[in-house]
Amino acid sequence: MEQFKRRQIIDTAMHIFKEKGYFAASMQDIAEACGMAKASIYKVFPSKEDLFTGIFVDVHKTLFEDAAALDRSLRLEELPPKEILRRKIAFQLQFMLENYFFTSEFKNLPIVSNESFLMEWRKKRATLLTMHHDCFTEAYGGPIIPYLGDTVAIFRGIMKEYLSHTVQAIIAVPMGDLAGFIADRMDTVIGDMIASGAKPILKASSAYFNDINPLDEDTRQTNLGEFLTFFAGKIRELPQPDRIRDEQLEVMGLLQRELEQSAPNSTLVRVYITFLDAVSDLRPYVHQLSFILNRLGAQKL
């Protein structure tokens, strides 16, 4: 009986959230639509945030279960790997289109600051990223491994944009056709990365982090160190007198040592950055460094 009651509440709330939006939908609306007292709803879901989280978990549980069932079915058909990938993309497009409010649109809602929701969101994201990694690894094998981070980032960006256009009725293309288009574009990009031996930009693990799920401090510091090393390499490449190059590298070394301190001297950091910013060829890297430092919180520039 309790499971039946929970199922009824979730199914009804999904409809009302989609129809009225998160803010306008009330627990009273949901209770009335369920034919229950509001107190009965609160016994199952103590707040609207908990109810939305429950729906979010339920929707993605269905997504992953259906994806696993599709995977088993496609294996039995013994289809070519890239056709399997296309069908998996089509399935995900269709599912996310039908459940867009709970798979994508929530990012603009205050629910993203709810700790219980964030915990479930992180679990979902990790599972979805793993699914994407597996899809492309199965389709392309070992050669794609170095490019998994970039491949998944490009794929997710494409999916996000085309789904958004579909939801807004800017495009009206069957999901199977759109999946074929996306699969073909990804094949071209992946083929080029592998054939050219391009240097990967993203590690596969990088896709697990974003504003809602930020990098840990150690990883941020490691990335900062890698960028400073890259910056110093650019200084060495500039066609300029040795004396000027050595002076710039000395300042870069002082900046790096200062940033390695637990509490960097903000005045010194600004002086070093201002010095490097005076070199027009270095200015793009200085601006990117300033952005990284702002994100780290180590320096307000």
Side-chain angles (χ1 to χ4, degrees):
M1 181 61 70
E2 287 301 315
Q3 285 299 317
F4 175 80
K5 183 177 179 181
R6 180 185 177 88
R7 181 77 263 159
Q8 183 183 4
I9 294 170
I10 283 179
D11 289 345
T12 303
M14 284 179 67
H15 175 74
I16 291 177
F17 276 131
K18 287 180 181 179
E19 181 183 0
K20 293 190 172 185
Y22 181 83
F23 294 104
S26 70
M27 295 294 268
Q28 183 64 43
D29 293 332
I30 295 165
E32 290 176 0
C34 287
M36 300 178 187
K38 189 162 65 169
S40 297
I41 304 287
Y42 281 121
K43 286 180 181 178
V44 183
F45 297 102
S47 68
K48 186 162 76 169
E49 291 82 3
D50 290 320
L51 176 52
F52 188 93
T53 300
I55 297 172
F56 177 85
V57 170
D58 188 80
V59 165
H60 286 92
K61 180 174 181 287
T62 301
L63 168 62
F64 297 131
E65 287 177 349
D66 288 355
L70 175 65
D71 185 58
R72 290 191 295 270
S73 174
L74 292 175
R75 288 178 187 276
L76 291 175
E77 294 185 46
E78 298 183 349
L79 297 168
K82 291 180 184 178
E83 174 59 17
I84 290 176
L85 176 64
R86 186 196 68 78
R87 293 201 189 185
K88 288 182 176 180
I89 293 173
F91 158 76
Q92 187 176 330
L93 282 167
Q94 189 65 45
F95 187 94
M96 297 187 79
L97 177 62
E98 293 172 2
N99 298 278
Y100 193 77
F101 189 87
F102 304 103
T103 59
S104 301
E105 204 165 296
F106 69 87
K107 293 174 184 176
N108 297 320
L109 301 177
I111 188 72
V112 297
S113 62
N114 180 279
E115 280 303 317
S116 296
F117 177 82
L118 279 176
M119 181 176 68
E120 296 299 337
W121 180 86
R122 290 181 182 118
K123 291 179 187 175
K124 180 277 300 184
R125 182 175 172 82
T127 304
L128 192 59
L129 285 168
T130 299
M131 186 173 84
H132 290 158
H133 288 159
D134 290 346
C135 284
F136 284 101
T137 302
E138 288 168 2
Y140 291 91
I144 201 177
I145 298 299
Y147 303 107
L148 269 179
D150 295 305
T151 296
V152 171
I154 294 167
F155 172 68
R156 288 171 66 86
I158 291 173
M159 289 277 284
K160 177 182 176 182
E161 286 300 315
Y162 280 99
L163 268 172
S164 175
H165 290 323
T166 303
V167 168
Q168 298 174 62
I170 296 173
I171 58 174
V173 179
M175 292 301 96
D177 292 351
L178 180 56
F181 176 85
I182 292 174
D184 288 344
R185 303 293 77 73
M186 290 303 303
D187 188 57
T188 300
V189 171
I190 292 166
D192 177 71
M193 286 192 293
I194 293 172
S196 66
K199 183 179 178 181
I201 300 297
L202 288 174
K203 301 172 185 174
S205 60
S206 299
Y208 289 87
F209 302 98
N210 67 9
D211 287 340
I212 303 179
N213 191 38
L215 286 168
D216 60 89
E217 187 65 21
D218 288 343
T219 304
R220 285 175 178 267
Q221 290 294 341
T222 298
N223 289 344
L224 173 60
E226 290 177 356
F227 183 77
L228 291 172
T229 300
F230 165 82
F231 197 158
K234 288 299 178 182
I235 291 175
R236 293 187 181 93
E237 292 174 4
L238 288 181
Q240 55 185 340
D242 291 344
R243 178 184 60 80
I244 295 176
R245 181 183 299 108
D246 290 344
E247 188 176 49
Q248 292 168 355
L249 288 172
E250 182 181 1
V251 171
M252 174 59 71
L254 292 169
L255 173 61
Q256 188 161 4
R257 282 195 290 276
E258 192 59 42
L259 290 173
E260 288 171 354
Q261 304 300 314
S262 58
N265 184 307
S266 60
T267 300
L268 285 177
V269 170
R270 285 195 180 93
V271 168
Y272 300 146
I273 286 179
T274 300
F275 176 86
L276 295 169
D277 192 51
V279 183
S280 59
D281 288 333
L282 296 179
R283 200 161 290 147
Y285 311 114
V286 172
H287 293 174
Q288 188 171 351
L289 175 59
S290 297
F291 178 78
I292 292 171
L293 292 177
N294 277 322
R295 297 293 290 177
L296 272 169
Q299 183 73 13
K300 304 297 181 185
L301 299 171

